């Protein structure tokens, strides 16, 4: 039998094989494309009251509900204090920092209460002074040889320039190291080098990337007593050393990884952003990671955000699965009034 005839029979057999019918999202993630193309459309999970609608694919599995009922049903003595703070915020009352820190609503991990409170006070004191510039930095390296830095993301925020604006004036940039531009990740780490959300990536020689970092770090951290923010700061410091950059020990540092672990047993930037309901995408792009780390740091050092997102109550939830995609999840809304009440 000729090869073409054999292939024709194979194709005929494959076309007769029944495709699986996915009953829920645990079996298959459903997006607009897959939902439209499936002849047997899957049964979408139902939208429930107070569910996180920023990223339901993980919020329902790994994050607590943001409703006060969660704490109240747990029987914790801090429930009343938290409910009072939420009520005041809903009325538009201002929560002063000293009042927030004196509140009895904090429930940190047993055995780490003092350490957690001390680090939270340290971070709040640095950021809420609103006098220091913040520089967030993320470095990406080649997954098969971590000594080769392939990308550098830098985001700068100076609160003094945004005091009269509803939107903070944030400057994100994405540097791609020219000598390593051909090195691509993808086996162990997502390859998102081409997906900087701000649109334009800058290709520079390694020596110029080092110069840019040195100038910014010297001006913002040393001369202006600014704040260095990172997610796992120690990892960025190691990359700096590879590039011949040594940071003074006395600079102000905030590690968003340490901050989120006060509240959750999860450590990834992705899970941190989900806990705060911050929309995000294409992580493991250095420019995006630096930008989102800054947003996460601002959220984790804002008392109102911490109260409303239950970030002052330690939650020992299940660790999120490592799913590296930016596809949204569909939920079926049967009662639109429930959704409207959650949005108001």
């Amino acid at each position: 039998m000729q090869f073409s005839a054999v292939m024709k029979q194979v194709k005929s057999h494959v076309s007769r094989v029944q495709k699986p019918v996915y009953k829920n999202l645990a079996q298959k993630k459903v997006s607009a494309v897959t939902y439209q193309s499936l002849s047997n459309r899957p049964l979408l999970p139902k939208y429930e009251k107070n569910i996180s609608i920023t990223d339901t694919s993980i919020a329902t599995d790994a994050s607590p509900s943001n409703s006060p009922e969660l704490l109240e049903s747990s029987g914790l003595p801090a429930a009343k204090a938290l409910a009072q703070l939420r009520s005041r915020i809903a009325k538009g009352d201002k929560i002063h920092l000293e009042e927030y820190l004196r509140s009895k609503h904090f429930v940190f991990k047993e055995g780490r209460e003092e350490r957690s409170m001390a680090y939270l006070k340290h971070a709040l004191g640095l950021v809420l002074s609103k006098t220091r510039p913040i520089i967030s930095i993320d470095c990406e390296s080649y997954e098969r040889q971590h000594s080769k830095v392939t990308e550098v993301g830098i985001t700068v925020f100076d609160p003094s320039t945004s005091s009269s604006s509803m939107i903070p004036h944030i400057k994100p940039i994405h540097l791609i190291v020219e000598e390593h531009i051909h090195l691509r990740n993808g086996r162990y780490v997502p390859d998102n080098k081409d997906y900087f959300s701000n649109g334009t990536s800058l290709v520079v020689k390694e020596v110029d990337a080092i110069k840019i970092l040195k100038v910014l770090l010297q001006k913002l951290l040393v001369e202006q007593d600014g704040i260095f923010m990172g997610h796992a700061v120690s990892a960025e410091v190691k990359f700096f050393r590879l590039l011949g950059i040594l940071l003074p020990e006395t600079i102000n540092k905030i590690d968003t990884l340490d901050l989120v672990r006060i509240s959750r047993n999860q450590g990834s930037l992705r899970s941190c952003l989900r806990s705060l309901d911050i929309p995000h995408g294409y992580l493991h792009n250095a420019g995006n990671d630096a930008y989102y780390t800054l947003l996460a740091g601002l959220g984790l050092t804002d008392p109102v955000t911490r109260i409303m997102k239950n970030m002052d109550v330690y939650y020992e939830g299940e660790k999120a699965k490592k799913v590296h995609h930016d596809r949204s999840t569909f939920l079926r809304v049967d009662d639109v009034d429930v959704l409207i009440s959650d949005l108001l």
Side-chain angles (χ1 to χ4, degrees):
M1 184 179 294
Q2 294 183 349
F3 177 75
S4 59
V6 173
M7 291 305 298
K8 186 175 181 180
Q9 287 188 5
V10 170
K11 289 180 180 179
S12 176
H13 172 72
V14 170
S15 66
R16 293 195 300 269
V17 175
Q18 184 177 4
K19 294 181 179 180
V21 178
Y22 299 101
K23 297 297 183 183
N24 54 55
L25 294 184
Q27 294 173 285
K28 183 176 179 66
K29 295 290 181 183
V30 179
S31 67
V33 176
T34 57
Y35 185 77
Q36 185 67 28
S37 62
L38 289 173
S39 57
N40 295 308
R41 291 181 176 176
L43 178 63
L44 297 177
K46 184 180 178 181
Y47 175 85
E48 303 289 351
K49 182 174 176 58
N50 289 315
I51 196 170
S52 170
I53 57 176
T54 300
D55 197 331
T56 54
S57 63
I58 187 170
T60 53
D61 297 329
S63 301
S65 165
N66 290 331
S67 66
E69 287 81 3
L70 175 73
L71 184 59
E72 292 172 1
S73 63
S74 69
L76 293 172
K80 184 176 180 180
L82 180 59
Q84 289 174 345
L85 288 172
R86 286 176 176 271
S87 176
R88 290 187 55 193
I89 291 171
K91 293 177 182 177
D93 293 347
K94 185 175 181 179
I95 307 296
H96 296 283
L97 178 59
E98 297 78 9
E99 182 183 8
Y100 165 76
L101 292 174
R102 288 197 307 266
S103 173
K104 303 298 183 183
H105 74 286
F106 295 98
V107 184
F108 293 132
K109 187 174 183 179
E110 187 176 356
R112 288 181 11 194
E113 295 91 345
E114 290 187 10
R115 178 182 173 186
S116 297
M117 180 58 78
Y119 193 72
L120 178 59
K121 286 181 178 179
H122 163 74
L124 292 174
L126 287 175
V127 174
L128 296 183
S129 67
K130 297 183 179 180
T131 59
R132 295 180 173 91
I134 303 173
I135 180 169
S136 172
I137 298 177
D138 179 81
C139 297
E140 294 290 321
S141 64
Y142 182 44
E143 61 187 2
R144 298 177 185 273
Q145 191 173 351
H146 291 292
S147 61
K148 295 185 181 296
V149 176
T150 55
E151 307 169 53
V152 178
I154 304 170
T155 298
V156 177
F157 170 55
D158 187 349
S160 65
T161 64
S162 303
S163 58
S164 59
S165 175
M166 289 287 289
I167 301 176
H169 183 49
I170 297 174
K171 301 176 184 177
I173 64 171
H174 180 221
L175 304 178
I176 296 179
V177 178
E178 184 177 359
E179 291 89 334
H180 304 150
I181 196 170
H182 62 288
L183 300 177
R184 311 294 303 205
N185 293 334
R187 182 174 180 84
Y188 307 109
V189 179
D191 180 15
N192 286 328
K193 183 189 295 187
D194 303 333
Y195 298 101
F196 180 42
S197 297
N198 204 41
T200 302
S201 299
L202 307 174
V203 180
V204 298
K205 295 185 181 300
E206 185 175 79
V207 65
D208 291 328
I210 294 171
K211 180 180 179 180
I212 292 169
L213 282 171
K214 283 184 174 180
V215 170
L216 290 177
L217 292 172
Q218 173 65 25
K219 180 179 179 181
L220 298 176
L221 298 185
V222 179
E223 297 176 14
Q224 298 184 22
D225 193 31
I227 304 166
F228 173 41
M229 189 174 285
H231 195 77
V233 166
S234 60
E236 308 311 326
V237 171
K238 288 180 181 178
F239 283 127
F240 290 166
R241 288 174 181 165
L242 289 173
L243 297 172
I245 301 173
L246 298 179
L247 290 177
E249 292 292 334
T250 55
I251 64 168
N252 302 309
K253 297 188 289 287
I254 292 180
D255 194 328
T256 53
L257 175 60
D258 290 340
L259 265 182
V260 77
R261 281 184 172 169
I262 290 176
S263 313
R264 305 288 183 265
N265 69 334
Q266 302 150 20
S268 71
L269 177 58
R270 187 183 296 267
S271 63
C272 177
L273 293 165
R274 285 167 170 162
S275 294
L276 294 167
D277 284 339
I278 297 177
H280 55 277
Y282 294 111
L283 300 181
H284 289 286
N285 171 289
N288 295 340
D289 283 8
Y291 176 74
Y292 289 127
T293 295
L294 177 69
L295 294 187
L298 294 178
L300 290 169
T301 54
D302 174 49
V304 172
T305 299
R306 294 189 64 86
I307 292 168
M308 299 307 294
K309 302 300 180 184
N310 275 342
M311 299 305 289
D312 290 327
V313 179
Y314 183 78
Y315 179 74
E316 190 77 41
E318 296 180 5
K319 289 194 175 182
K321 296 179 180 179
K322 292 185 177 180
V323 181
H324 300 296
H325 65 75
D326 294 290
R327 183 178 296 166
S328 62
T329 300
F330 280 24
L331 292 182
R332 186 184 74 256
V333 179
D334 292 337
D335 188 344
V336 71
D337 291 331
V338 172
L339 174 59
I340 292 173
S341 68
D342 282 348
L343 296 175
L344 295 177

